[in-house]
Amino acid sequence: MPILAIDTATLVSSVAIATPDTLVAELTIQTRKTHSERLMPHIASLLKMAEITQTSLKAVAVSIGPGSFTGLRIGLATAKALTYALNIPLIGVPTLAALAFSCPVSGVILAPMLDAQKGNVYLGLYEWREDAVYEVQPPRVMAFAAAQAELGKLEKPALMLGEAAVMHKADIVHHVPPHVIMPRAGSVAVMAQVMYAQGIRHDVAALEPLYIRRSEAEVLWERRQAQEHC
């Protein structure tokens, strides 16, 4: 039975459907429209084109971050609503791991990175071993310059993936093609099938986005509170 996957962690809006052995359908668009405008219509279009009904889905998978705070909230809220309505499991897939999963290259370190604003990036390190991707370094926030210096010290070549790799393309030695470098729900869907087979399910009420850092709104609110009490 198929799994529906959603990835709205960046400006890319991507939805996909996968069975255990096939990526059935995928719709990936990178425009300036907000996810709230296009996500549900994209899901409806994808199901119609794939000739799959909502009731035939066995789970919904969603990219849980790190990434855009707003995008993550929209994607997770939509995934939760669908799982509630259909009474099926929810699977949260780490965004950076899914990016690495989309690039099955051995002998290198995969370094997916997303924009964390103000010159910072979300960076995780991964490596393909046989037919699975393994986490070498968990996601964290750091300055791009520091990330670049760290990757330069690795014993293996590092392939940078994700939107931050596009933003800093001029500073990158090893380039990856555009169809691999950006987030895709197809990778989330296939990875979710593996997780589903392993018995991984997430609590619909408890699952939260993997933000890593606080939002700018939270920082500004705390700053104002501190000023008011001075």
Side-chain angles (χ1 to χ4, degrees):
M1 293 176 68
I3 287 178
L4 170 69
I6 298 169
D7 192 330
T8 54
T10 66
L11 287 176
V12 177
S13 177
S14 188
V15 292
I17 298 171
T19 59
D21 56 1
T22 304
L23 177 57
V24 178
E26 182 179 34
L27 176 58
T28 300
I29 299 178
Q30 186 174 194
T31 64
R32 290 290 175 178
K33 288 187 177 180
T34 64
H35 295 302
S36 59
E37 292 180 84
R38 58 193 175 186
L39 182 54
M40 287 306 297
H42 284 177
I43 292 173
S45 296
L46 188 75
L47 290 168
K48 183 177 180 179
M49 289 187 292
E51 298 182 339
I52 291 175
T53 63
Q54 288 188 5
T55 54
S56 67
L57 297 173
K58 70 178 179 183
V60 176
V62 61
S63 181
I64 59 170
S68 160
F69 283 53
T70 301
L72 292 173
R73 286 194 291 267
I74 291 172
L76 185 56
T78 302
K80 286 187 174 186
L82 288 170
T83 55
Y84 270 125
L86 300 173
N87 193 28
I88 55 178
L90 174 66
I91 301 174
V93 179
T95 302
L96 298 185
L99 266 166
F101 190 81
S102 70
C103 189
V105 178
S106 59
V108 301
I109 296 297
L110 299 169
M113 58 174 65
L114 300 177
D115 181 30
Q117 301 182 353
K118 298 182 178 179
N120 297 316
V121 296
Y122 299 111
L123 172 68
L125 302 182
Y126 302 84
E127 187 175 20
W128 270 91
R129 302 171 192 164
E130 297 179 356
D131 59 348
V133 66
Y134 290 85
E135 184 180 82
V136 177
Q137 173 70 51
R140 62 205 190 281
V141 177
M142 60 195 309
F144 173 76
Q148 188 178 29
E150 180 177 306
L151 296 179
K153 297 176 182 178
L154 297 175
E155 295 181 358
K156 297 180 181 180
L159 294 182
M160 296 185 189
L161 312 169
E163 63 182 1
V166 176
M167 295 170 60
H168 299 281
K169 185 176 180 179
D171 302 314
I172 296 174
V173 176
H174 303 288
H175 293 280
V176 180
H179 68 287
V180 175
I181 202 169
M182 297 307 292
R184 292 177 54 188
S187 298
V188 177
V190 176
M191 194 169 175
Q193 284 285 357
V194 175
M195 296 169 70
Y196 186 92
Q198 295 172 342
I200 297 174
R201 313 284 191 276
H202 292 112
D203 186 286
V204 178
L207 184 63
E208 294 291 337
L210 178 63
Y211 290 130
I212 298 184
R213 69 173 180 84
R214 294 179 302 161
S215 69
E216 190 69 17
E218 290 176 307
V219 173
L220 291 175
W221 184 85
E222 287 188 2
R223 190 176 299 164
R224 285 198 297 268
Q225 291 295 320
Q227 291 174 347
E228 290 175 2
H229 289 86
C230 286

